[in-house]
Amino acid sequence: MLQQMTSGNNVKRLVDFIPKLIDHSSIASGTLAGLAMFMVSVINTYEVIMRRFFFKPTTWVFTASLFVLMWFALMSTPMVIKNDRQIVADFLTSRLSKEKRSMLKILANFLSIVFFLIIGYYGSLMCIEAYQNNHMTLGLFDYPSWILYICFPLTTALILLQLFRSTVTEIRNKMGAHTDINPEMQFRQSDKKNITKGWLSENLLSTIFFLLPVLLGVYLFHTKPLAGLIVMALSLLLGGTPAAFSLGLTAIVGLFITQQGFSSLQIVPVIIDKTFDSFVLLAIPMFIMGGVILSKCGIGMRIYDLASKWLGSLPGGLAMATIIACAIVSAMIGVSTAVAAAIGLIAIPQLLTHGYKKGVAYGSVAGGALGILIPPSAGLIVYGYLTNSSVGLLFASAFIPAAMLVFFFLIYVFLISLKNDKIERLNYSWAEKFIALKKSILGLLAPVIVLGGIYSGLFTPTEAAGVLVIYSMIVALIYKEMDFKKFINICRESATLGSAVMMIMMGAMILTNLVALLRVPRVISEWLIHSGISNLSTIIALMFMYVILGMFLDGLAITVLTVPVLYPIMPILGLDVISFGVALCIFVEMALITPPIGLNLFIIKAITGDEITPIARGNIPFAVIMFVAAVILLLFPQIAHWLPKILGIM
Amino acid sequence: SEAKSTRKLGLSSTLSPNSCIEIAADKFRDTVKEKSDGQIEIIRYPSCELFDAKSEIEAVSMGGVDMGVLHGAYVGSRSAILEFISSFGAVGVWESYDHYWRFIDQPEVREFVESEFKQKLNAKVLGIVSYGTSLVGNRVRPIKTVEDYKGIKMRASGKAQATLYKTLGAIPVEISSNEVFMALQRGTIDGAASGPSRFYFSKWYEVTPYITQDYTVPYLSFWLSINLKKWNALSKKEQEILQTTGREIEVWTRNYVEKETETLYEKFRGGLVKEIYFMPQSERDRIRETVEPVMHKLALERIGTEKGAILWELLKKAR
Ligand code: NA
Ligand code: NA
C-alpha cells in the first residue's frame, strides 16, 4: 500500500517534471540559437577586418555562418512554440469564444505535429544518406554534410515534444475549464448532460468549420490543384494555424497528391536546406538582433528627444519631429513594428499633452515607422532573396522613394496642424539642442556605418548586419545599458523574432516549389498574354490586390506568397524588378496600418490602451499617402533608379 | 497530328534565360519529342524555377525531379572524381577546349563518369554539356603575367579554385553570387571568374574593366542526367532515344559555345571593357607550370592515389 503510494507520487512527480524539462530545454535551445547568431555577427565583423585591413580573409566564416543559420532557425522554434510567438493571422479566430479558440489551437498543433514529423523523418533519411555516402559541402572550407543535416532529427525531436506538451496542456485546460466553471451543477445529471452537449457542440462546430474548408482544399488538389492550393492555404491561415506551417503543410499535401505520393516528400528537407543555404537571408536575424539591442538601450528616446528639440518650434513641429525620429530609427532597424514601439512609447504622450489630436499622434507613429522601407530592410532582403537581386542595389533604390514618402508625411502633418490652434510650440535653447545631439550621436552613427560600409565596399549587406550587431553592442556598453541578464534576453528576443521569419521563409519555399511544379506562373502569364488584358489594368488590379491582402495578412506572408508567382511574369507586364520591390515594401508598410489587421495599429493600442477604431482612423491618411507614393513609383521607376545610378551600381 | 505522350519526364536547369545550357535543354526536349513521335514528353523547368544548382543535385538523385542539367562544381562536392572530370579539380592545368574535350571523350573517363554517377548520385549521365570557358575579370589591373595575380582578392568557389589562387599569390574570397556585382563594383573583391555570358548578361563588364583569358579557369561543363530509377523504368527504345539525343546535344553545345564566345568577345572588344587580353602561350605555360604540381598533389589527395594517378595520366594523354 505504502509502496503503491510512493510509486504513485513518483509518477505524479514525473508527470510534473517532464513538461518542465521540455520547457527548459526549449528555452535553452532558443537561447543557444540567439548566442550562436551573436557569434556569427562577431565572426563576420572579424572577417571584414581581416579582409580589409590585413588582406587575409578567412576561409571558414562564410561556411560557419551558413551552418549556424539552419541550426538557428530550427533550434529557436521550440522556444517560439512554447511562448506562443509564431506569426498567426488571427483576425477571425480572435473573435471566437475561448472554447472554440482553444479547440482550433489543438487542431493547429496537431497539423504542426504532422508537418514536423514529415520534416524530421525525411530530414533524418537525408542525414543518413549523406553520412553513408560521405557527401561533402561545397566551399572554401568543406565538411561532411551530415553534420549540418543532423539538425533535422535533433531539432524536430524537441519541436515535436514542445508541440505535444502544449497540446496536452491545452486539452487539460479545456477539461479543467469545463468542470471548474460550474462545479455546483456537476451533481445534477441532466444539467451535466446539457453542459457536455454544449461543450461538445462548441468543439464539434469549430472542428467542422476548420476542417471542412481544409478538406475541400485537399479534394480540390485532385482536380484543380491551384484552387486546392489557395483554398487549403487560406483556410489553414485563417483558421489560426501559424503562417509558416499553413504554407508548408499545404505544400506537403499538394506534393503528395499532385506528384508521386510519399516519394515526392523526400524533397522537403532538400528545399529547407536550400532555403537556409543563403548568405543573403542570414542578414535578417542579424539586422533584427542589432535593432533589438538598439531599442533596448533606449535609442528611441534619444532620437525622439533630438528631433523634438530641433523641430519643436515649427507649426506641427512635434508631429514632424515624430516622423523624422521614426525615419531615423527606421534606418537602424529592419522591421517597422519595432520602430513604432520604440518611438510610440515616448512620442504619443508628448504629442497628446502638447495639444495634438489623437489621429495625428497615432498616425505619425504607426505610419511614420518605415522600418521595412528604409534600409536596412528585412522586406527588401526577402525580396532580393526571392528574385535573385542584389540587396545592396535594392537598399540604394529604396532611399529616394522613402525620402519622398517621409516628405509627403511631413507636408500632411504640417498642413493639418495649421488648422489646430491648441498646439503648443516648443522652443529650446541651442545648448539644449546640442546636448540632445550629443546624446544621440552614437545612435545616428549606426545607419551611417551600415550604409557607408556597404556603399564604400568595406562589407557586403550581410556583413553589414553583423557589424551593426557589434556596433550596437558597443553603444549599449557605452550608454551603460547592458548587463548579462539583458544580453541573454536580447539573444532570446532576437532568436524568437528571427526564427519566426525564417520559419515563414521555409514554409513559403516548400510551397513555391509546388507552385513551380504546377507551373502556375506559366499558366498565369499565358493567360495574361492571350486574354488581351492590358498591362496597365493588370498592374492596377495587382495594386488593389496588395491593398486588400494587406488588410488581412502579414507583410512577409504577402511577399512570400506573391513574389514567386509574379517574378517570372514581371517582364511580360513590363514591370521593373527593382522599383517593384520598393513599391511592394510600401504596400507592406501600408498593410501594417490598415484595419482590421495591422501590427502597428496593435502596437499603438498596446501603448495607449485606446480603441482600435480611432487608431485606425488616424492612420487612414497615412495609408492613402503610401498608396499614392506606390502609384507614383510604379509610374516613374526612375525615382528608385536615381541613387543606384549615381552610386554606379546599376 | 499530335500523338498522345505516354511518357512524361521533368527536366530542370538552373542558368539564366538564353544561356547555352537553357537553349540546349530546350533543344533536348524538342529533339526527343520529334524522335519519339511525341511519345516522350519532356517538361522543362528552366532557370532555377524548381531548384538551385545545389538542391537540383539532391532532387535528381532522390527523384524529386526526373532529369536535370547538373552544375559541375556542385556535382564535384559529391565526388572528387567527378570534380576532376568536370575540369574544376584540375583547374589551371587544361590547355584548351580541345584538350579538355579530348580528355572527356576517352572511354576510360566515361566509365568513371558512369560508375561515379551510379554510386554517388543514383543517376545516369546522358551528355556532358558545355557552357564555355570562363574569363577572369578584374577591377584593378590587367592580368598579363603570373605576377599580376599577387595580392588581388579573387572570388573563389570551391577548394580547387581557392588552391589555385593561393598558389598564384592571389587571395581567395567567398562571396554569394547575388552580391558579386556590388562586391566588384565597390572593391570588396578585385576580381572574379565566370563564363563570358555571365560577364555580358549580368553586366559584370561594367565593373571589371580588365578581362583576361588564361588557364586559371575551368572549362565549365554540366551533366545532363536522369534519375537511375526513372532510367531503369524506361523501355530499351526510350533509353536509346534519350542517350543518342544526349550525345547530339553534347556535340551541339561544343559548337555553340565557341560561336557564342566569339560573339561576346567581339562585344567586349567593341568598347564594353577597357581591355580584353589573351594571354600568350609562353605566359600560359608559366601559369600551368606554377600550378600543375600543386593541383596534381591536390587531385591525389582528394581522389586517392590510385584513381587520382589514372585520371592524371588520362589528362596528360589528352594533351
Ligand atoms: Na529599416
Ligand atoms: Na492591415
Side-chain angles (χ1 to χ4, degrees):
Chain A
M1 178 96 167
L2 195 70
Q3 216 169 6
Q4 243 178 359
M5 272 177 67
T6 3
S7 80
N9 273 341
N10 282 343
V11 169
K12 192 173 179 311
R13 233 180 271 157
L14 199 67
V15 167
D16 289 341
F17 175 68
I18 287 173
K20 268 185 204 147
L21 182 68
I22 294 173
D23 283 352
H24 285 308
S25 311
S26 295
I27 299 288
S29 172
T31 314
L32 203 61
L35 281 169
M37 196 45 76
F38 181 76
M39 282 317 293
V40 170
S41 311
V42 173
I43 62 174
N44 274 281
T45 309
Y46 172 78
E47 166 81 13
V48 168
I49 294 168
M50 289 307 285
R51 186 179 62 225
R52 181 65 182 78
F53 301 107
F54 299 96
F55 301 97
K56 276 194 186 124
T58 70
T59 52
W60 53 272
V61 164
F62 192 90
T63 310
S65 305
L66 286 180
F67 178 81
V68 170
L69 182 59
M70 182 142 110
W71 280 90
F72 166 84
L74 289 166
M75 274 175 75
S76 316
T77 304
M79 182 173 72
V80 177
I81 293 168
K82 188 207 159 276
N83 296 338
D84 227 351
R85 294 279 300 274
Q86 287 125 307
I87 298 177
V88 179
D90 60 352
F91 74 100
L92 280 183
T93 52
S94 59
R95 279 140 213 251
L96 297 175
S97 70
K98 206 177 157 201
E99 193 75 53
K100 286 204 183 96
R101 236 181 356 201
S102 89
M103 189 63 215
L104 284 180
K105 197 173 167 214
I106 291 167
L107 290 169
N109 272 353
F110 174 73
L111 293 179
S112 306
I113 287 172
V114 173
F115 181 63
F116 278 107
L117 273 174
I118 288 167
I119 292 178
Y121 176 72
Y122 289 103
S124 306
L125 287 188
M126 185 156 107
C127 179
I128 292 167
E129 212 214 64
Y131 178 78
Q132 285 171 341
N133 295 309
N134 281 323
H135 291 171
M136 299 292 283
T137 59
L138 181 71
L140 300 194
F141 182 90
D142 48 2
Y143 63 93
S145 306
W146 68 265
I147 300 179
L148 177 63
Y149 298 155
I150 204 165
C151 79
F152 285 120
L154 294 183
T155 58
T156 47
L158 188 56
I159 292 170
L160 286 168
L161 282 173
Q162 186 62 56
L163 277 169
F164 190 67
R165 184 238 185 287
S166 107
T167 312
V168 169
T169 313
E170 201 71 36
I171 291 172
R172 279 172 76 185
N173 285 346
K174 222 167 160 45
M175 300 305 201
H178 155 234
T179 43
D180 289 346
I181 290 168
N182 303 296
E184 75 280 14
M185 289 185 184
Q186 279 192 1
F187 301 100
R188 285 160 61 175
Q189 200 61 30
S190 60
D191 280 352
K192 192 179 178 184
K193 232 184 203 165
N194 278 341
I195 294 160
T196 315
K197 227 167 130 191
W199 184 81
L200 250 181
S201 66
E202 279 245 312
N203 287 316
L204 207 62
L205 214 65
S206 41
T207 309
I208 289 170
F209 270 108
F210 179 72
L211 284 183
L212 220 54
V214 174
L215 291 174
L216 176 70
V218 173
Y219 169 77
L220 279 174
F221 262 126
H222 288 280
T223 50
K224 294 190 169 58
L226 181 57
L229 190 155
I230 293 170
V231 169
M232 186 169 173
L234 282 183
S235 45
L236 284 174
L237 266 174
L238 301 183
T241 313
F245 310 151
S246 302
L247 305 181
L249 209 58
T250 304
I252 283 173
V253 171
L255 279 172
F256 184 84
I257 296 173
T258 66
Q259 305 300 311
Q260 299 155 1
F262 283 109
S263 73
S264 28
L265 301 185
Q266 289 179 325
I267 213 68
V268 172
V270 175
I271 299 166
I272 296 175
D273 176 33
K274 171 192 160 187
T275 308
F276 295 133
D277 188 35
S278 161
F279 202 66
V280 174
L281 224 48
L282 177 66
I284 292 182
M286 289 196 288
F287 273 130
I288 287 178
M289 186 175 264
V292 170
I293 298 173
L294 283 175
S295 45
K296 293 243 160 154
C297 56
I299 206 72
M301 189 192 69
R302 290 167 194 266
I303 299 289
Y304 177 77
D305 187 49
L306 172 74
S308 60
K309 293 221 158 104
W310 284 75
L311 297 172
S313 60
L314 299 171
L318 219 46
M320 286 160 77
T322 306
I323 286 164
I324 294 285
C326 280
I328 295 173
V329 175
S330 294
M332 305 169 196
I333 294 180
V335 286
S336 300
T337 44
V339 178
I343 298 293
L345 217 52
I346 313 134
I348 292 175
Q350 290 287 323
L351 286 163
L352 296 181
T353 43
H354 291 103
Y356 287 84
K357 291 209 172 107
K358 272 185 184 176
V360 177
Y362 298 160
S364 310
V365 172
L370 297 172
I372 293 175
L373 179 63
I374 300 176
S377 147
L380 286 173
I381 295 169
V382 169
Y383 185 82
Y385 172 79
L386 294 173
T387 62
N388 263 325
S389 326
S390 157
V391 171
L393 173 57
L394 284 165
F395 279 9
S397 309
F399 253 100
I400 303 299
M404 177 179 84
L405 192 53
V406 170
F407 182 66
F408 288 170
F409 287 163
L410 290 176
I411 293 180
Y412 168 73
V413 295
F414 177 79
L415 292 178
I416 203 143
S417 305
L418 287 180
K419 291 193 292 182
N420 181 352
D421 48 15
K422 287 195 196 115
I423 291 177
E424 294 169 43
R425 295 203 195 170
L426 304 169
N427 284 306
Y428 294 97
S429 69
W430 283 102
E432 285 173 304
K433 283 180 186 175
F434 280 104
I435 286 169
L437 182 64
K438 198 184 143 205
K439 273 188 180 164
S440 54
I441 192 79
L442 289 177
L444 289 173
L445 273 177
V448 175
I449 288 169
V450 167
L451 299 167
I454 293 176
Y455 297 113
S456 68
L458 192 55
F459 37 66
T460 63
T462 304
E463 289 165 344
V467 171
L468 177 71
V469 170
I470 303 306
Y471 179 76
S472 312
M473 200 63 191
I474 293 169
V475 172
L477 288 171
I478 292 172
Y479 286 165
K480 298 198 175 28
E481 296 265 16
M482 185 62 62
D483 53 40
F484 184 70
K485 206 176 151 201
K486 208 164 178 179
F487 176 64
I488 293 298
N489 277 333
I490 284 169
C491 285
R492 283 182 188 152
E493 184 63 14
S494 314
T496 301
L497 295 172
S499 110
V501 174
M502 290 299 134
M503 280 292 120
I504 290 199
M505 292 309 298
M506 179 182 102
M509 291 317 286
I510 307 173
L511 192 62
T512 299
N513 190 260
L514 176 66
V515 165
L517 277 170
L518 298 174
R519 302 162 81 73
V520 173
R522 193 160 305 196
V523 173
I524 295 176
S525 56
E526 273 163 21
W527 178 80
L528 275 175
I529 291 168
H530 293 124
S531 67
I533 298 173
S534 76
N535 284 350
L536 188 66
S537 5
T538 314
I539 291 169
I540 291 171
L542 270 178
M543 291 193 301
F544 282 99
M545 178 192 82
Y546 276 120
V547 173
I548 292 165
L549 285 177
M551 288 167 69
F552 303 100
L553 290 179
D554 168 74
L556 179 62
I558 298 171
T559 308
V560 295
L561 281 176
T562 58
V563 172
V565 180
L566 266 180
Y567 173 57
I569 61 178
M570 280 184 198
I572 295 168
L573 292 172
L575 283 171
D576 159 60
V577 177
I578 299 300
S579 59
F580 185 80
V582 180
L584 179 62
C585 280
I586 300 181
F587 283 114
V588 168
E589 293 287 1
M590 195 174 157
L592 290 167
I593 58 168
T594 50
I597 300 298
L599 288 181
N600 280 7
L601 302 179
F602 297 158
I603 283 176
I604 306 294
K605 184 175 153 62
I607 291 171
T608 60
D610 202 346
E611 292 292 311
I612 203 82
T613 320
I615 298 173
R617 201 181 296 141
N619 272 283
I620 284 173
F622 288 84
V624 172
I625 294 170
M626 284 178 186
F627 185 78
V628 172
V631 172
I632 293 176
L633 183 57
L634 286 176
L635 290 179
F636 305 101
Q638 306 90 298
I639 300 171
H641 297 166
W642 185 75
L643 186 62
K645 281 199 173 133
I646 291 210
L647 289 168
I649 51 177
M650 191 170 191
Chain B
S1 66
E2 291 267 303
K4 188 111 174 78
S5 62
T6 51
R7 179 77 66 184
K8 283 186 178 163
L9 294 167
L11 169 57
S12 153
S13 54
T14 58
L15 282 114
S16 50
N18 298 324
S19 65
C20 174
I21 300 293
E22 298 292 328
I23 300 173
D26 287 348
K27 208 174 166 58
F28 179 81
R29 171 196 60 195
D30 298 339
T31 313
V32 166
K33 188 176 177 186
E34 198 177 295
K35 280 192 182 172
S36 67
D37 290 322
Q39 295 286 303
I40 307 177
E41 187 189 350
I42 307 275
I43 301 164
R44 287 277 292 118
Y45 300 102
S47 304
C48 284
E49 198 173 293
L50 275 188
F51 302 104
D52 59 8
K54 182 184 164 199
S55 56
E56 187 183 56
I57 290 165
E58 300 273 356
V60 168
S61 67
M62 286 175 173
V65 63
D66 307 315
M67 306 173 69
V69 193
L70 310 181
H71 192 296
Y74 288 96
V75 168
S77 72
R78 282 289 185 89
S79 146
I81 291 178
L82 293 173
E83 182 186 36
F84 188 92
I85 297 175
S86 71
S87 96
F88 276 90
V91 63
V93 190
W94 307 102
E95 291 186 354
S96 62
Y97 278 139
D98 284 326
H99 172 212
Y100 176 62
W101 288 333
R102 275 196 300 272
F103 167 74
I104 55 174
D105 283 343
Q106 299 173 93
E108 297 93 326
V109 172
R110 297 284 167 146
E111 276 163 32
F112 270 119
V113 169
E114 182 88 15
S115 77
E116 282 297 295
F117 258 84
K118 192 172 174 181
Q119 279 177 36
K120 300 280 171 61
L121 287 109
N122 188 35
K124 178 178 173 58
V125 172
L126 301 172
I128 307 177
V129 191
S130 291
Y131 184 57
T133 181
S134 295
L135 297 170
V136 180
N138 187 302
R139 69 192 293 279
V140 270
R141 55 170 175 258
I143 292 176
K144 300 194 169 174
T145 64
V146 184
E147 287 71 25
D148 287 328
Y149 271 106
K150 281 240 152 47
I152 58 172
K153 284 173 279 181
M154 291 294 301
R155 184 214 180 193
S157 40
K159 204 164 198 169
Q161 208 176 17
T163 308
L164 166 98
Y165 285 140
K166 271 191 200 151
T167 311
L168 293 174
I171 303 160
V173 177
E174 207 157 7
I175 294 274
S176 73
S177 58
N178 284 357
E179 300 299 342
V180 172
F181 181 90
M182 235 186 81
L184 281 169
Q185 200 264 353
R186 295 281 134 177
T188 317
I189 51 175
D190 300 320
S194 194
S197 61
R198 181 81 198 257
F199 274 94
Y200 182 72
F201 290 111
S202 303
K203 298 199 172 171
W204 284 12
Y205 62 83
E206 286 182 356
V207 288
T208 55
Y210 310 105
I211 288 182
T212 301
Q213 197 199 29
D214 60 16
Y215 274 133
T216 62
V217 286
Y219 285 83
L220 296 170
S221 55
F222 284 66
W223 309 95
L224 172 61
S225 31
I226 179 165
N227 174 275
L228 208 55
K229 205 172 143 200
K230 277 283 145 65
W231 172 257
N232 291 331
L234 300 177
S235 71
K236 275 274 164 309
K237 193 178 156 232
E238 287 170 326
Q239 287 185 344
E240 204 198 298
I241 291 174
L242 293 185
Q243 185 75 79
T244 52
T245 314
R247 280 304 188 115
E248 282 170 34
I249 294 298
E250 192 175 319
V251 176
W252 179 85
T253 53
R254 289 184 189 182
N255 293 320
Y256 184 88
V257 291
E258 269 190 314
K259 271 183 272 166
E260 185 195 56
T261 306
E262 266 317 306
T263 326
L264 292 173
Y265 283 174
E266 272 314 304
K267 291 191 172 163
F268 293 138
R269 282 196 199 100
L272 286 184
V273 290
K274 264 192 201 149
E275 185 172 4
I276 174 162
Y277 186 73
F278 296 89
M279 207 177 254
Q281 195 56 46
S282 58
E283 201 58 33
R284 292 179 156 210
D285 289 342
R286 276 190 67 213
I287 288 194
R288 185 162 53 80
E289 281 153 18
T290 314
V291 299
E292 191 163 335
V294 184
M295 297 315 284
H296 184 201
K297 194 167 150 259
L298 184 78
L300 296 184
E301 210 175 275
R302 281 168 83 82
I303 300 172
T305 39
E306 190 197 334
K307 284 179 180 171
I310 298 175
L311 281 165
W312 198 265
E313 274 314 305
L314 290 167
L315 177 149
K316 279 166 81 176
K317 214 174 105 191
R319 264 184 191 147

